[in-house]
Amino acid sequence: MILPLSGCLVDFARYEARLHDLTDNDGDGFVYEDDCDDANAVVHPDAIEVCDGLDQDCDGAADDAAVDAAAWYPDTDGDGLGASTGEVVLCSAPSGFVSSADDCDDANAGAQPGADEVPYDAIDQDCDGVDASDLDGDGHAGGSGDDCDDADASVHPDAPEAWADAFTDNDCDAALELDAPELFGGEYWNVGVDAASFGSRVHRYGDLDGDGADEILVASVGRSREYTNSGVVYLVSSAGSGDADAGALRTFEGGGVEWYLSSGLDAGRDLDADGLPDVLITATGVEDEGRAFLVPGDTLLAGSVLLPDDAAAVYEGVDRYAYWGSDVAYVGDVDGDGAEDMALAASYAPGENTAIRGRVAVFPLDGGELHHGSGHVRMGWVLRRPGAGRDRRSAG
């Protein structure tokens, strides 16, 4: 018997294709069918993704979750600095993202490290964590804070008042405290009466009591004693202190309502050569015209001075409401007649058509004869001796 031959037919094409799929052509440990790029040994499912435009780990996306990807931050205000929130990690920056996370306010392009800080506006421009409010570093905030001078570290609510800068409000209490005893070593004068305007005028007198310290004439135009706003002038020692009403050596007192003594003061001459300065003193409110009084120095030795009774001469203004005597001064012998001259001011004296212009009159005094002599007229003023009756002459 003849046996037929038997065998299997081989599909070589299929065999070769399958052999190809199971071959690791790049030697990276992964055969062709498991390797997304079997011609590149750095590309395979276990590869580490890096930023190079390749899909190293064969997950279908290039550069995703790459180990060398960078962090990027949103820059909403376009100042080149990003906010620390909203971070993304990618190989390259998406639109609107930057590499810096240093922006403290990504809605304000003017707020970034290094920017100029604007104090007291509640905005942290330089991103240091605070808005500038204590510029002098004294621990107190300026602007709406309690530091009244945020450019001076010696000025704040806890600072002591200092005599060295007595015109500075060191403790921010809105007062210079110039009458504080500690600022003046205990040497100061005042009066314990409201609205007295003590110190409205001051002038050096000289050493009346022989203690080696000059006396000072201090006017208090609003001081009232017998008459409302008659005014009082005090003669006090520059070496003393306290209440001038109790401690003054002498007082000059006006004799009527609203005299406002003394609007002007001068004690710069000794006209009668008795060694004591003679006082020029004014009151702008007398008879609505104003007066100037010449008081000899020896009158002060007797006690308090009452005006006009104790004046050697009274000079009367001739213009109503002109404030004659708003100031007064010895000016020397201006006209060369051998007599001392006096300048008297009337700050509200009328000019043409009654317009207020003001005036200063200069005329001679009596050249030493303080207690004698007849009245005379000079520059719109009438000289009247006390006790002689009112001598109202026309100018000429």
Side-chain angles (χ1 to χ4, degrees):
M1 180 171 106
I2 299 174
L3 295 176
L5 294 175
S6 64
C8 57
L9 297 177
V10 177
D11 186 344
F12 284 100
R14 183 176 181 186
Y15 168 79
E16 288 177 353
R18 183 59 180 157
L19 180 62
H20 178 270
D21 290 343
L22 297 177
T23 300
D24 179 11
N25 295 299
D26 56 11
D28 59 7
F30 288 84
V31 297
Y32 177 84
E33 68 177 1
D34 295 328
D35 197 336
C36 57
D37 186 354
D38 201 33
N40 190 342
V42 299
V43 177
H44 54 77
D46 289 341
I48 296 174
E49 192 77 17
V50 296
C51 294
D52 61 359
L54 297 177
D55 177 18
Q56 274 95 357
D57 60 4
C58 296
D59 66 352
D63 296 345
D64 65 315
V67 294
D68 55 350
W72 305 98
Y73 306 91
D75 179 17
T76 304
D77 56 15
D79 61 2
L81 300 175
S84 59
T85 57
E87 169 189 336
V88 297
V89 180
L90 297 170
C91 287
S92 60
S95 178
F97 282 70
V98 293
S99 61
S100 170
D102 294 333
D103 202 339
C104 60
D105 185 353
D106 200 38
N108 183 357
Q112 55 182 271
D116 293 333
E117 184 70 25
V118 178
Y120 322 130
D121 66 350
I123 299 174
D124 177 21
Q125 279 91 358
D126 62 3
C127 293
D128 67 351
V130 294
D131 174 42
S133 59
D134 181 14
L135 303 186
D136 56 14
D138 60 10
H140 293 265
S144 60
D146 60 0
D147 195 338
C148 57
D149 187 350
D150 202 29
D152 188 341
S154 69
V155 176
H156 55 80
D158 296 329
E161 285 291 350
W163 165 241
D165 57 355
F167 291 97
T168 298
D169 179 18
N170 301 88
D171 62 3
C172 295
D173 67 351
L176 299 183
E177 299 182 351
L178 294 182
D179 62 346
E182 62 272 16
L183 299 184
F184 288 87
E187 307 302 330
Y188 71 102
W189 291 97
N190 59 10
V191 293
V193 179
D194 292 340
S197 296
F198 181 80
S200 51
R201 283 285 191 278
V202 293
H203 200 284
R204 174 182 176 271
Y205 180 76
D207 186 7
L208 179 67
D209 58 5
D211 66 353
D214 284 342
E215 272 62 68
I216 307 169
L217 290 163
V218 183
S220 182
V221 296
R223 185 74 172 91
S224 303
R225 286 189 172 174
E226 184 176 353
Y227 303 102
T228 302
N229 293 327
S230 59
V232 176
V233 175
Y234 300 88
L235 185 71
V236 296
S237 173
S238 60
S241 65
D243 189 333
D245 280 317
L249 298 176
R250 298 289 184 272
T251 56
F252 298 73
E253 297 188 29
V257 174
E258 294 183 349
W259 272 31
Y260 299 111
L261 187 83
S262 168
S263 304
L265 279 173
D266 199 351
R269 299 289 188 274
D270 178 12
L271 301 182
D272 53 7
D274 63 358
L276 296 170
D278 304 307
V279 180
L280 288 172
I281 186 169
T282 68
T284 56
V286 182
E287 302 292 338
D288 295 326
E289 298 166 350
R291 297 287 187 273
F293 306 96
L294 181 59
V295 181
D298 59 3
T299 302
L300 275 66
L301 298 175
S304 295
V305 178
L306 300 176
L307 298 174
D309 297 346
D310 291 332
V314 179
Y315 301 85
E316 302 179 359
V318 296
D319 300 309
R320 288 177 65 82
Y321 309 115
Y323 288 91
W324 280 103
S326 51
D327 209 349
V328 64
Y330 288 110
V331 293
D333 183 9
V334 174
D335 55 11
D337 64 357
E340 179 77 26
D341 296 324
M342 171 177 64
L344 286 150
S347 58
Y348 275 67
E352 295 180 5
N353 300 320
T354 70
I356 295 173
R357 292 187 176 180
R359 187 184 308 163
V360 176
V362 179
F363 56 93
L365 296 169
D366 283 340
E369 297 295 324
L370 299 189
H371 297 283
H372 306 285
S374 60
H376 58 273
V377 178
R378 291 289 188 275
M379 294 291 190
W381 281 74
V382 177
L383 168 66
R384 179 174 62 82
R385 298 294 176 189
R390 182 165 179 154
D391 184 6
R392 191 70 164 171
R393 298 183 177 88
S394 61

